[in-house]
Amino acid sequence: MNLKQLATHLGLSQTTVSRALNGYPEVNRDTRERVQRAASEHGYSPNRRARSLATGRSMAIGHVIPLRTQHEMMNPVFADFIAGAGETYSRNGYDLILSVVGPRDEEAVYSELFSKGAVDGVIVHGPRAGDNRIEMLNRIGLPFVVHGRASDTPGPYSWLDINNRRAFDRATGYLIDLGHRRIALLNGLEDMDFAQRRRQGFLDAHQRRGIEPDTALMCSGEMTEMYGYEALRPLLASSERPTALLCSSMISAVGARRAIHEAGLELARDISLITHDDDLSYLRNGSNVPMFTATKSSVREAGRTCAEMILRSLSSPDLPLQTTMLEAEFVLGQSTGPAPASL
Amino acid sequence: MNLKQLATHLGLSQTTVSRALNGYPEVNRDTRERVQRAASEHGYSPNRRARSLATGRSMAIGHVIPLRTQHEMMNPVFADFIAGAGETYSRNGYDLILSVVGPRDEEAVYSELFSKGAVDGVIVHGPRAGDNRIEMLNRIGLPFVVHGRASDTPGPYSWLDINNRRAFDRATGYLIDLGHRRIALLNGLEDMDFAQRRRQGFLDAHQRRGIEPDTALMCSGEMTEMYGYEALRPLLASSERPTALLCSSMISAVGARRAIHEAGLELARDISLITHDDDLSYLRNGSNVPMFTATKSSVREAGRTCAEMILRSLSSPDLPLQTTMLEAEFVLGQSTGPAPASL
DNA sequence: ATATGTATCCAAAGCGCTTTGATGGTTGAT
DNA sequence: ATCAACCATCAAAGCGCTTTGGATACATAT
């Protein structure tokens, strides 16, 4: 059933039927109701492609997920982010178009999505420091919101980020105040902007207290379980092992915990661990008492808000650029304690 | 730059330009090259909405992800599945449209996606036993491939599944042969088809050896880390604790391992654990020697293949329905051993 | 009686593409 | 010279919708 058929069936013009369904005022009340009833009876819903073509809007938002290599990981926090964003989209009648691409094609994909008219806007995932996607999107005029930020990017843009620097500053400071001096950092990949900021927070907390961080204890890598395990293991074997540890994600924290158990150490008593917690639905940080002390910020909520931001900027393009800074919650769990005296 | 502009700029008709770019034979070779050069110079790529409208095909596949409740988990294996499918789509010029919806709206979303012409086909995720989505899709005539199967569904359909029954049959048999008699099952939600089949395999292996399974040791739940922990903990505290354990996912296996450590038990020596392993990129089962003995099957590969199946059935609609059955690999790891004598 | 609104409705153009059904120009065979 | 058979190109229709710019009828004001 299409508009034309519905219109002839009702003995009305396409114009009137269209206006009746789209809530335009110049339609008689009775007519409108008659049209709406007929539409739902016949299960009519306007063809999106045609509507898009006519209005020039595609009612879809693009999410471009970069995979650095063919076999590289799909960042699991994307799943929750997208779940959050997806909720907002479906509530507002938008579609979510997902492109999984290699890094070479990434820019091309954005501009193609735009020039093909497939999307009205995009969310930029995983910004690196000095990311050139942002400048490029500004140039071609495709509306976007960045999940995270990119330092060294000229010009303003819309973003939503958590205060990574402060979160890791606080967490590190907490450990130092507990007496820890040798603190390891299992950071994410440090070409990613968020990881750089966390590193900065880690360093700031040391510096403010006049403590020299041990760079041998600072690692960077993709936040897998395996990375948490393999990065921490050699550190624990060393004679000058760390007494505390900061992790960039729950997943690598789980790997780190495995290494800790395997080394015969006990969390909190022998070694303290603080992790960032994206509040992933399948990897909650304990039910009553959190298992890990953590800097917590829901990535799903971030997805919801990011989606709202891009939709708002589409509906009112003249609005000034929006930025949202979320503070991570500092959650005290069972994985931290005073530095062991013996070390 | 659109087709019309490109055509007048070249002094050709829209027809010729369109045919030149789409590889139709009735275009002079020189002309074709001239057109192609101009197109790439001006960065022309045809508007997808318009092309869709003209051809009646939208070049997009829909993935509908059901969330049972507002706050329920986003199944993390979706992420890898979609990464796999996405690779196939971008290689073939297809878009992936993701809808995250509550369970009530699910059917409506499928038929809307179809009647709005937003997608050419869909992938059905997370089939339940006797799932009515399948019949419904057959009724409205929207091409689809099911990731998994649904028993009790009348009529044939295309699917890709792993042999869940056999995988869990083998794994259970292996444990029994090692002398284990009290084997726990931490299954997924048992209204899901895959979980029912795994349960069946678990029971079959017992029955074939004339052993009565202990139903008190059989649990079902969403496969989170927390579930693995909380479901196993009371079982370990009981006087008749299980000596072995089957897990439906790596994530709950990680939770189970936590409970095991906390109970002061050691994997393999005191209690054996076999898990299903979807080969998630961020949660690999060890690097050299697998940490868990596992039934392994890459969900990312499944996504790739599912996508290929739906694309193939779109390009040749008269092909008979395709079904793909993958056998899980049985991987021997460090989490299994003979049943402890003392119990 | 004429002019001015006002409330409803409609015909037709247009969005950017593909595709059908010509059209003119060459070539080779009759 | 005539016809058929291509080859290369084009004009125009059509995909299903929105939207512009009237049209019609009726009520109200001059």
Side-chain angles (χ1 to χ4, degrees):
Chain A
M1 172 70 75
N2 61 20
L3 181 63
K4 192 173 179 178
Q5 293 169 332
L6 185 62
T8 48
H9 172 256
L10 281 164
L12 289 170
S13 74
Q14 298 189 38
T15 309
T16 305
V17 175
S18 171
R19 307 204 115 147
L21 293 174
N22 290 320
Y24 281 70
E26 57 260 83
V27 169
N28 190 344
R29 194 171 151 167
D30 295 351
T31 314
R32 184 191 305 279
E33 278 170 8
R34 200 162 61 92
V35 170
Q36 285 172 337
R37 210 173 319 116
S40 69
E41 261 172 31
H42 294 77
Y44 168 77
S45 65
N47 182 306
R48 256 210 197 179
R49 304 183 291 230
R51 165 181 273 180
S52 277
L53 190 55
T55 58
R57 309 179 50 192
S58 59
M59 300 298 284
I61 305 295
H63 287 238
V64 181
I65 309 282
L67 295 186
R68 284 143 187 265
T69 67
Q70 186 75 353
H71 296 290
E72 208 217 24
M73 69 178 265
M74 171 80 170
N75 192 328
V77 305
F78 283 155
D80 259 49
F81 183 91
I82 282 175
E87 287 172 28
T88 300
Y89 295 144
S90 38
R91 224 185 357 260
N92 291 277
Y94 272 78
D95 281 340
L96 157 40
I97 293 193
L98 197 68
S99 287
V100 181
V101 295
R104 282 166 301 117
D105 321 318
E106 203 173 345
E107 285 206 28
V109 167
Y110 281 109
S111 66
E112 260 191 39
L113 279 178
F114 181 55
S115 69
K116 289 185 173 177
V119 300
D120 295 330
V122 294
I123 303 288
V124 175
H125 288 275
R128 271 92 61 186
D131 203 304
N132 49 9
R133 285 176 292 175
I134 294 174
E135 188 211 334
M136 182 267 229
L137 289 170
N138 269 329
R139 197 176 57 239
I140 65 178
L142 174 57
F144 66 97
V145 172
V146 181
H147 178 212
R149 278 169 290 172
S151 1
D152 312 328
T153 299
Y157 57 93
S158 287
W159 53 262
L160 173 147
D161 200 1
I162 55 181
N163 197 335
N164 282 301
R165 204 207 45 71
R166 182 180 298 169
F168 269 50
D169 187 336
R170 284 184 66 190
T172 309
Y174 178 77
L175 290 171
I176 295 177
D177 292 348
L178 279 171
H180 295 277
R181 288 301 174 268
R182 285 197 303 287
I183 306 176
L185 172 67
L186 263 57
N187 206 355
L189 279 171
E190 286 184 352
D191 60 337
M192 304 291 275
D193 183 84
F194 78 89
Q196 294 195 355
R197 292 179 194 271
R198 290 181 185 176
R199 179 194 172 96
Q200 196 54 54
F202 178 80
L203 295 175
D204 286 356
H206 279 81
Q207 199 191 2
R208 202 172 318 107
R209 289 168 179 77
I211 294 173
E212 191 68 26
D214 186 346
T215 52
L217 298 179
M218 296 168 67
C219 324
S220 158
E222 252 188 328
M223 303 183 294
T224 66
E225 200 268 353
M226 198 54 71
Y227 161 64
Y229 176 76
E230 288 180 345
L232 184 56
R233 206 158 62 136
L235 301 184
L236 293 182
S238 124
S239 59
E240 291 246 301
R241 73 160 178 87
T243 65
L245 171 65
L246 278 161
C247 262
S248 239
S249 97
M250 282 283 286
I251 293 177
S252 25
V254 165
R257 186 178 62 194
R258 179 157 64 99
I260 289 168
H261 279 138
E262 211 178 273
L265 301 175
E266 195 174 310
L267 265 178
R269 192 194 61 188
D270 303 320
I271 187 166
S272 288
L273 190 161
I274 302 183
T275 182
H276 183 72
D277 175 11
D278 292 297
D279 202 23
L280 301 179
S281 45
Y282 50 92
L283 192 48
R284 286 269 144 74
N285 187 15
S287 39
N288 300 319
V289 186
M291 40 184 192
F292 295 123
T293 299
T295 59
K296 170 173 169 180
S297 177
S298 163
V299 70
R300 185 159 183 168
E301 187 56 42
R304 251 190 299 260
T305 310
C306 250
E308 280 159 16
M309 285 170 71
I310 187 84
L311 295 190
R312 198 176 326 131
S313 79
L314 288 177
S315 64
S316 345
D318 301 326
L319 238 53
L321 291 174
Q322 312 155 67
T323 61
T324 309
M325 177 77 108
L326 303 171
E327 292 296 332
E329 202 179 333
F330 188 74
V331 178
L332 211 52
Q334 300 171 289
S335 64
T336 43
S342 56
L343 281 167
Chain B
M1 172 71 74
N2 61 23
L3 181 64
K4 193 172 178 179
Q5 293 168 333
L6 186 61
T8 48
H9 172 257
L10 282 164
L12 289 169
S13 73
Q14 297 190 39
T15 310
T16 304
V17 175
S18 171
R19 306 203 118 148
L21 293 174
N22 290 321
Y24 282 70
E26 59 261 83
V27 170
N28 190 343
R29 196 171 151 166
D30 295 351
T31 314
R32 186 191 304 280
E33 278 169 9
R34 199 161 62 92
V35 171
Q36 285 171 336
R37 209 171 322 114
S40 69
E41 261 173 30
H42 294 78
Y44 168 77
S45 64
N47 182 306
R48 238 188 218 199
R49 303 182 294 229
R51 165 181 272 178
S52 278
L53 189 56
T55 58
R57 307 178 52 192
S58 59
M59 300 298 284
I61 306 294
H63 288 239
V64 181
I65 309 282
L67 295 186
R68 284 143 188 264
T69 67
Q70 186 74 354
H71 297 290
E72 208 218 23
M73 70 178 263
M74 170 82 171
N75 192 327
V77 304
F78 283 156
D80 259 49
F81 182 90
I82 283 174
E87 287 172 27
T88 300
Y89 294 145
S90 35
R91 223 185 357 261
N92 292 277
Y94 272 77
D95 280 339
L96 157 40
I97 293 193
L98 197 67
S99 286
V100 180
V101 295
R104 282 165 302 116
D105 321 317
E106 204 172 345
E107 285 207 27
V109 167
Y110 280 110
S111 64
E112 261 191 38
L113 278 178
F114 182 54
S115 69
K116 289 184 174 178
V119 301
D120 295 330
V122 294
I123 304 287
V124 175
H125 288 274
R128 271 93 59 187
D131 202 305
N132 49 10
R133 284 176 294 176
I134 295 174
E135 189 211 333
M136 182 267 228
L137 289 169
N138 269 329
R139 198 176 56 239
I140 65 177
L142 175 56
F144 65 96
V145 171
V146 182
H147 179 212
R149 278 170 291 174
S151 2
D152 312 328
T153 299
Y157 56 93
S158 287
W159 51 262
L160 174 148
D161 202 0
I162 56 182
N163 197 336
N164 282 301
R165 204 206 46 70
R166 183 178 298 170
F168 268 52
D169 187 335
R170 284 183 67 190
T172 309
Y174 178 76
L175 290 171
I176 295 177
D177 292 347
L178 279 172
H180 294 278
R181 289 301 173 268
R182 284 197 306 286
I183 306 175
L185 172 67
L186 264 56
N187 206 356
L189 279 171
E190 287 183 353
D191 59 338
M192 303 291 274
D193 183 83
F194 79 90
Q196 294 195 357
R197 293 180 194 271
R198 290 181 185 177
R199 180 195 172 96
Q200 196 54 55
F202 178 81
L203 295 175
D204 287 356
H206 279 82
Q207 202 192 359
R208 200 170 322 107
R209 289 167 179 77
I211 294 173
E212 189 68 25
D214 186 347
T215 53
L217 298 179
M218 297 168 67
C219 323
S220 158
E222 250 187 331
M223 302 184 294
T224 65
E225 199 268 355
M226 199 54 72
Y227 161 66
Y229 175 77
E230 290 180 345
L232 184 57
R233 205 158 63 137
L235 301 183
L236 293 182
S238 125
S239 59
E240 291 246 301
R241 74 161 177 87
T243 66
L245 171 65
L246 278 160
C247 261
S248 241
S249 98
M250 283 282 286
I251 292 177
S252 26
V254 166
R257 185 178 62 194
R258 179 157 64 99
I260 288 169
H261 279 138
E262 211 178 273
L265 302 173
E266 193 173 309
L267 263 177
R269 190 193 63 189
D270 302 320
I271 187 165
S272 289
L273 190 162
I274 301 183
T275 181
H276 183 72
D277 174 13
D278 294 296
D279 203 22
L280 301 179
S281 45
Y282 50 92
L283 192 49
R284 285 271 144 74
N285 187 16
S287 39
N288 301 319
V289 186
M291 42 184 190
F292 295 123
T293 299
T295 59
K296 170 173 168 180
S297 177
S298 163
V299 70
R300 186 159 182 168
E301 187 55 43
R304 249 189 302 259
T305 310
C306 249
E308 281 160 17
M309 287 170 70
I310 187 84
L311 295 190
R312 197 176 327 134
S313 79
L314 288 177
S315 65
S316 346
D318 301 326
L319 239 51
L321 292 174
Q322 312 155 66
T323 61
T324 308
M325 177 77 107
L326 303 171
E327 291 296 334
E329 200 179 335
F330 188 73
V331 178
L332 211 51
Q334 300 170 288
S335 64
T336 43
S342 57
L343 281 165

